[in-house]
């Protein structure tokens, strides 16, 4: 379970970088780099690959779903982390293998990613958007229970912290470059 959470975190990291670059970088190269950096000992990385490829291949379907489920939030105004957590959640909820990842697990995993990497209200925002999509799709309210044990969470926490620090460093580098560029 902990490895699957780590692989989702790495998929989110890669999608974040891809989105942050304006989708100009090659997503498969970003993912390969992130897997080597954050999970060098993990041999079965298929989950990360499937999520990243699934989100990228279905982006033209996923983003309008976000826009419909959160009409007061234009897609470009949703923070990059939250936007990509939603993309992962929607991919797994609507386009992924439901036998492998049941819809309620997909929602819970996205909420956990939002809480870990997003802002203070990211978990609630992700829950609200994915809950709306679930209700519209399946006709009922999702009953979400945590799928990550405390032991698994502690095991993965150090690697997730490293990913979060990497994201923060990249944002700081861009801000520094923008400030230095303005001064010249």
């Amino acid at each position: 379970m902990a490895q699957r959470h780590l692989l989702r975190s790495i998929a989110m990291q890669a999608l974040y970088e891809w989105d942050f670059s304006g989708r100009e970088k090659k997503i498969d190269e970003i993912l390969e780099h992130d897997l080597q950096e954050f999970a060098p000992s993990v041999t079965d990385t298929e989950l990360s690959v499937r999520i990243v490829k699934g989100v990228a291949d279905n982006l033209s379907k996923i983003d309008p779903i976000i826009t419909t489920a959160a009409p007061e939030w234009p897609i470009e105004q949703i923070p990059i982390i939250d936007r990509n957590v939603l993309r992962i959640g929607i991919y797994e909820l609507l386009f992924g293998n439901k036998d492998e990842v049941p819809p309620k697990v997909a929602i819970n995993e996205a909420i956990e990613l939002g809480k870990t990497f997003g802002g203070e209200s990211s978990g609630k925002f992700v829950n609200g958007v994915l809950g709306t999509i679930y209700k519209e799709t399946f006709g009922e309210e999702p009953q979400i229970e945590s799928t990550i044990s405390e032991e698994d969470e502690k095991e993965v926490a150090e690697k997730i912290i490293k990913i979060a620090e990497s994201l923060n460093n990249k944002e700081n580098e861009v801000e520094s470059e923008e400030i230095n560029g303005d001064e010249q």
Side-chain angles (χ1 to χ4, degrees):
M1 189 70 70
Q3 183 168 306
R4 292 178 65 80
H5 186 67
L6 174 63
L7 291 171
R8 274 189 187 86
S9 298
I10 293 170
M12 194 279 306
Q13 161 82 6
L15 289 165
Y16 171 90
E17 289 181 54
W18 183 57
D19 199 7
F20 192 79
S21 75
R23 292 180 266 181
E24 293 181 11
K25 294 181 179 179
K26 293 185 178 184
I27 187 68
D28 54 336
E29 291 175 7
I30 294 171
L31 179 60
E32 181 66 29
H33 172 267
D34 289 348
L35 286 167
Q36 289 175 4
E37 183 173 343
F38 301 117
S41 63
V42 176
T43 56
D44 184 7
T45 59
E46 177 60 30
L47 179 63
S48 286
V49 172
R50 188 171 51 250
I51 289 171
V52 167
K53 182 173 178 9
V55 168
D57 290 350
N58 291 288
L59 194 62
S60 65
K61 298 173 190 167
I62 292 172
D63 281 359
I65 293 169
I66 295 171
T67 302
T68 300
E72 61 281 350
W73 285 92
I75 194 85
E76 58 280 342
Q77 289 183 7
I78 297 173
I80 296 175
I81 295 283
D82 295 354
R83 184 167 58 224
N84 286 289
V85 168
L86 286 171
R87 287 171 174 160
I88 290 170
I90 292 168
Y91 167 72
E92 289 194 304
L93 182 63
L94 301 178
F95 301 98
N97 180 342
K98 290 168 188 56
D99 291 330
E100 183 180 336
V101 182
K104 293 176 185 179
V105 172
I107 294 170
N108 188 65
E109 287 294 329
I111 292 167
E112 294 297 326
L113 287 173
K115 287 179 181 178
T116 302
F117 296 106
E120 190 175 309
S121 60
S122 292
K124 291 178 184 178
F125 177 67
V126 169
N127 185 24
V129 174
L130 295 180
T132 297
I133 294 167
Y134 181 91
K135 186 176 180 180
E136 291 295 318
T137 305
F138 300 100
E140 62 182 77
E141 292 285 335
Q143 300 300 315
I144 307 300
E145 296 178 17
S146 181
T147 59
I148 302 171
S149 72
E150 286 183 37
E151 293 168 6
D152 287 344
E153 190 171 329
K154 289 176 185 175
E155 182 181 317
V156 176
E158 285 183 22
K159 292 181 180 180
I160 290 176
I161 289 169
K162 186 176 176 184
I163 294 170
E165 289 172 348
S166 175
L167 288 172
N168 193 22
N169 289 340
K170 287 177 184 171
E171 286 180 350
N172 289 338
E173 288 173 13
V174 169
E175 287 175 8
S176 178
E177 289 172 9
E178 289 173 353
I179 290 170
N180 291 335
D182 291 343
E183 291 175 358
Q184 294 178 0

